[in-house]
Amino acid sequence: MNPMSWATTDDVLLSTSLATYLDKKLIVLLRDGRKLLGLLRSFDQFANVVLEGACERVIVGDLYCDVPLGLYVIRGENVVLIGELESDKEELPPHMACVSEAEIRKAQKADRESSDLKGTMRKRMEFLDFD
């Protein structure tokens, strides 16, 4: 083993598996729940990845929007899952509707407010102890 090299066998296996995805369209699920799509252009032993033509897929109910991001660098510690998207298959169910970025942001806000209201109501009802 080269004394200047610090890569372990596990690092090489991780690199080899990501190498099969180079120049392919991927979906990357992040720790905060975001879903990014784009072409894998580069990666390193820490699973830091570079996506070209990246977009964030935002889904609220039956609505979705692909928000363009351009060239995007993702820190490996934020990656939960990386998967290849098959170009010959439809990515989303047919009942989902593509909307503009403004519409999806409005739907996200309404969904967040609804969740906040449910949480507030749940806290107010805790004293009833339905359990």
Side-chain angles (χ1 to χ4, degrees), residues 64-76:
Y64 80 96
C65 178
D66 289 341
V67 180
L69 302 170
L71 190 66
Y72 210 75
V73 178
I74 305 168
R75 189 173 170 98

Side-chain angles (χ1 to χ4, degrees), residues 71-82:
L71 190 66
Y72 210 75
V73 178
I74 305 168
R75 189 173 170 98
E77 67 182 23
N78 294 314
V79 174
V80 174
L81 178 122
I82 296 178

